[in-house]
Amino acid sequence: SVIVGGMDPGSNKDEDGIIPEVSEEMQPGLVPSTASTHTASHPSHAQSQVKLSTKQHHRKKSSLPNEKIEELIQQATEDRHNAREEQPPVASPREQGSTSPRAKSSVRLATKSTHHRRKSSVPAEVIEAMIAQHQDAGETGAAVRKKSVRKGGPENGDGPPSDGDDDGARMVRIPTESELENARYGDGGPKQSVIQRMKREEADTRLCFINNHPMNDSLGYVKNTVKTTKYTWWNFLPKSLLEQFRRVFTVYYLVVVIIGFIPGVSPVAPAVNLIPLVVILGFGIAREFYEDVKRSIGDRRLNNSLYDILPRDPTSVNASEPFVKQKCASLEVGDIVFLRKGDLIPADLLVLSCSDASGLCYVSTANLDGETNLKLLRVVSAETNSARKPEQVAALRGLLSAQQPDPALYHFEAQFSIEKDGKGGLPIPVDSMNLALRGSRLRNTAFMYGAVVYAGYDTKEALNMRIPPYKFGELEKMLNWIVIFLAVSLFVICVAYGSAATIVQGGLRGYWYLGQDTVQGVSLGNQVDAKLWFESFAGFLILYAAYVPVSLFVTLELCRVAQTLFMQYDREMESRGRNAASTASNLNETLAEIDYICTDKTGTLTENLMKFVSCSVDNDIVDIRDRPDALNISKESSDSIRLFVLSLALCHNVVPEPPDDEDEAIPDDAAGLNISAGDGKPKLIEYQGPSPDEVALVDAARSFGMEVLARPQDSVLVKIDSEEKEYKILAELEFNSDRKRMSVILRDPDDNKLYIYTKGADNIMLGLVKKDGPEEQRIAVANEHVDFFAKEGLRTLIYARKELSEEECASWMLRFNEAKSSLEDRANRVDAIQAEIEQNLTFVGISAVEDRLQADLPATIEFLRLAGIKIWVLTGDKRQTAESIGYSSALLDSKMRVLHIEAKDSDDAKATVENLLLDVAGSQFESMMDKYSDREANFCVRAWRNFLGIMFWKRELRKRLEKERQGNRNNAVIVDGKSLQFLIDNHADSFMDLCDFCKTVICCRVTPMQKALVVRMVQSLRKKITLAIGDGANDVSMIQEAQIGVGIYGKEGMNAARAADYSFSEFRFLRRLLMIHGHYAYVRTAKMINLQFYKNLLFVCAQFFFQYACLFSGASFHNQWYVSTFNVVITSIPPFVIGCLERDLRASTLYNIPELYRAYQLNPIVGIVSVFEYTVGYGLYHAIIIYVFGVYTFESETPFANDGRVGGRELQAFMVTSLTCFVTLVKMMMVTRWWNWIFLLSIAVSLMFFYLVPPVFINVFDEAPLIGILQECMASPVFWLYLLLCMTVSLFPDFIMYMYRKVFSRPDPVQICEEIELKGVRCLMHDFE
């Protein structure tokens, strides 16, 4: 970018603060002389030449459209002072707060990483004006040489020299459409295409032509369609299947199903294994479909909303019907959109014109940054703002040269040129104050015209969005590894059994009942072939498919659905007419393992309701909660009270906004636009301001009797004692984070005197007020009152005033305007001038505002802390606001040491963090620095350390918990968005080490993308489970990045709730979600998983053992119908009931004891160890006892009936199957803590199903082997003896282990609370709450 004529791009003014006007003597074909010639002849004007700016982030080529264009660049020949008088000054864009730094993360969280966006192309045939090489840095004010590309015109300065003695001015003429066509297809044939030329030049700007649709259309920009769905109609099935097959189990079972369809291999029907796989995949796909349909409905509603735009052919504007209805998805770059008050802005728009004569308009960006206060925008120029009627706007011609799409919300750089009479004008600098962002809402402005600059996926809102990811719970990841282990072990077993079958059966020839020919004299193992091995291997793989429990995953999906329903219908989590909701049931158990919570502030921790509750006036604290009429203005009111209330009404940036149904003050030249229609009913004026505090103070002034009626550009209208008074504003000194105060200089209509009113933070204002004489006592009392308000968690401001003389004010205003027009060190000069007049103020009073927090917020945060969860606050608010909320919400306290990180660059951020870390870490600092050097260790060393960490995980976990207890000192860190980006990019490790020593981390002024990057940083560097919670669209990226995303139904829309995994209305419900629903989900799911692995292995082991008796023929020991029904029907109901209703402790106990949240970290219920215990420890032992007793102790020749008949193999198998079922059900009863009637009923139903198998399948399928078995067993004493003996021997070690853990092992918090609940209780089933 360039500085033209001594103008700074940020000010649009020359060195004296006046915008130069282009001279009429500038004629086409004239070009300036070279920089060296001009500098030599006019050395005094060296600094007024066209210079390269160093104030921009990125040096860009200034591209001026000039195909067959006579670029008109020459020195101004008119007297500059005359030009200044003719050109009205335009206010320079004001910086909006703290500009968010441009995100530099290597991993983009934007949708452009997944959507192919066409790169915007600048037609080189239109842009052939080039900026020459920059002169040597030592040549002050060296000019930039220009080339004239006018066909047949002078070249490289051969034209007449400038006869002016002042700054060079640059003019741009917008080409006509015919010239553009000639430029593409000139005499020399077709030129290079726009895209080809742009690929060569790699330009980093995009062009937007005003009211020139053909040119905008030729640049190939994307349209305004935005979709947040995860799937499309054509990729849903393959993509959703791919998501489901990320589970190892589904891949394993798919292999089993495929093998089952091979003819002559499967010992069972293929449908036996196919049906469970279809059910599991169906559950997952149905859930994905349901969630994506909801997203699609929201997208369709937004994309199909209608907006008024000017016709794309400007000549077809009809005065009677000037606008054309266009769907939001059909908007294109360059379209002129007409918006009314309250409309949602559909794309990133350049503000051309608005209803305010001064060019000011307001938008609400709550959906983008979470802030409910209004943002101030300005029109791009006074000339465009003069166009109010549609035909006037359609007559505008101009060109915007802007940066490429950037996700930073408040970073925008561009230049805008207006065409006059076919000639271009001076480029006007454009910044974020001139850009209305998609997703924001027009407020306090009757209407606005805006030109689409970025559409669709190029908008800043879309760049901060990301496609919803598929999230895996920690338990699901662990199950993947367990299934891999089981599948590998099964594969090894099947290979061994297949090899044994091949060897054994290959040598057994001559047995007619095996279907083999008689072969004599063949030794063992001679007839081995590959076909026999494969058939044996595949048959064993299908026969033992239940070794990896298919019923586990079917039951798991059903249990999660039931747990989700419990959450949704939990009346304790119902508020504001909404129930809790869940869209990710696979994460239920992960709720019990949260380590970090990253939360938004506005609307999440607070309700965004500020209220004036108290003040200090005349050395007295006035609490209006106790004395509501103490500050009411009347004739009897003291002067101090009147002055204090008047200060509330005058010193602010609040703008009165008429109610929506009242008639707006519409300019005469904008009449007929059908902007609003009122019903004539009087309603209170609504106030909108840059912060909720200011609105609360002005609203309080109205309740006390001084109502702000209007806020024109240079005055404020106040109604006092039924009389309207207009206070003329001479200057407004705005608030910023460095000054921590604001002032307004105005003229009092009562005495016509000048006063300055100032308000600000106590630590700043107490140093600016007078302390001499009687004032010293007042200031001492004010200090005490400030401390009193702070202890109550109130937000305080100190008000002061001073009278100014006319001479003093005039002199100061002159120097103030000069400072604002300065090109060098402007900010510091302005601050210094402002500080001069804000001295020796007279103390007026102290205001105290209460920020309404969410219900039970301090108690909830304290409980979560005691539960071992670290809380990070990520907010777009100012540091002071975030810090104040931290104190009121118990995140910060007066005993806590607050560390601030505000860095100018990456090196400064590194030094700041290391100094703070050295201070708080002490002796541990060196070991932390050594940790960074460990990264240089080779792969083998790192792998060995990781292996030791896995093997001794419990010891490492204890060390980590102890470190956290030591590190959680009374420290807190607050970092701003700019510094945070430096830390994320380059110093994330040291920053995380510093945060480990802090109880609270607050990140302020962060963008939506930075929120997601912080979550990613915590998850990647600490390998911990993170929960993100927010209520606005600006929190969506953070919610989707975290393992658990929680949305709040708030005032900022439903974006966060739709994108979240869980959603409810208030932050306090997070405590119940984690402590009760999360805890119960973990306990229920963990016990159900252990029992599923146990019962499957117990049942399959008999099949394993039997192969040694049947010569590895693949015969099934259990009856085929028991094989089909044992896991899916007979023993499926009790695990399901356990997964839905089991509880180890009462809900009231969990809700009140935070230490229980970490109870299962050191002693997890489910894991590699528990699965090994239940399978090898219990399952294998029980299977050996049952099989050995059933086959070898009670052999088939043993008399079974009273008449001496033997049982045979079928009766023997039925005995083993029966005992397997009984032992499994008794084991479930031992594991289950809560024996409610539903669980006991499920046990009875399981037994009923077991005994119904023989009669049902005998009558339906004529299953001959089952005929008479049930009656023989029930009548045989051998069966009952076998049942009693085996159950005693098999379950006795389980009872011993249970008693050992209860009596001899060190109890954990859960066991202690269990004993507390049972104390004095006579029966375990004392209630069924």
Side-chain angles (χ1 to χ4, degrees), residues 112 318 489 735 749 783 1164 1173:
K112 67 177 182 179
N318 188 348
S489 63
F735 178 93
N783 263 315
E1173 175 188 347

Side-chain angles (χ1 to χ4, degrees), residues 1043-1065:
Q1043 282 106 326
I1044 303 289
V1046 178
I1048 300 290
Y1049 300 123
K1051 300 179 180 179
E1052 301 176 15
M1054 298 289 292
N1055 302 70
R1058 284 198 299 264
D1061 306 308
Y1062 302 91
S1063 53
F1064 39 75
S1065 298

Side-chain angles (χ1 to χ4, degrees), residues 564-619:
T564 300
L565 292 176
F566 290 155
M567 295 181 191
Q568 294 177 350
Y569 292 100
D570 186 353
R571 293 185 178 181
E572 297 295 328
M573 297 180 66
E574 180 182 351
S575 176
R576 301 172 185 171
R578 292 184 179 273
N579 295 326
S582 171
T583 61
S585 59
N586 61 316
L587 301 175
N588 290 346
E589 59 276 353
T590 311
L591 292 170
E593 303 173 301
I594 302 299
D595 294 290
Y596 286 84
I597 292 178
C598 296
T599 175
D600 179 41
K601 181 193 72 67
T602 307
T604 304
L605 299 181
T606 69
E607 293 186 357
N608 252 357
L609 296 176
M610 302 286 186
K611 185 179 180 181
F612 180 89
V613 295
S614 185
C615 66
S616 172
V617 182
D618 272 344
N619 295 338

Side-chain angles (χ1 to χ4, degrees), residues 214-279:
M215 268 309 302
N216 291 321
D217 189 52
S218 67
L219 299 179
Y221 299 127
V222 297
K223 291 192 176 182
N224 201 41
T225 302
V226 173
K227 295 182 179 179
T228 61
T229 53
K230 192 175 179 180
Y231 306 99
T232 60
W233 65 268
W234 56 269
N235 72 1
F236 171 76
L237 189 59
K239 194 173 180 180
S240 60
L241 282 174
L242 183 62
E243 291 286 356
Q244 299 306 314
F245 280 106
R246 290 173 62 184
R247 300 175 178 176
V248 178
F249 163 75
T250 53
V251 177
Y252 159 77
Y253 226 75
L254 178 64
V255 173
V256 172
V257 170
I258 293 174
I259 295 177
F261 278 93
I262 299 176
V265 171
S266 175
V268 297
V272 173
N273 293 321
L274 178 61
I275 293 176
L277 179 64
V278 172
V279 171

Side-chain angles (χ1 to χ4, degrees), residues 896 919-922 924 964-972 996-1000:
M896 192 175 292
D919 187 19
V920 300
Q924 302 180 39
E964 289 182 356
R965 281 192 292 267
Q966 294 177 359
N968 281 338
R969 302 167 185 169
N970 281 334
N971 297 320
D996 288 341
F997 286 89
C998 299
K999 284 186 176 181
T1000 300

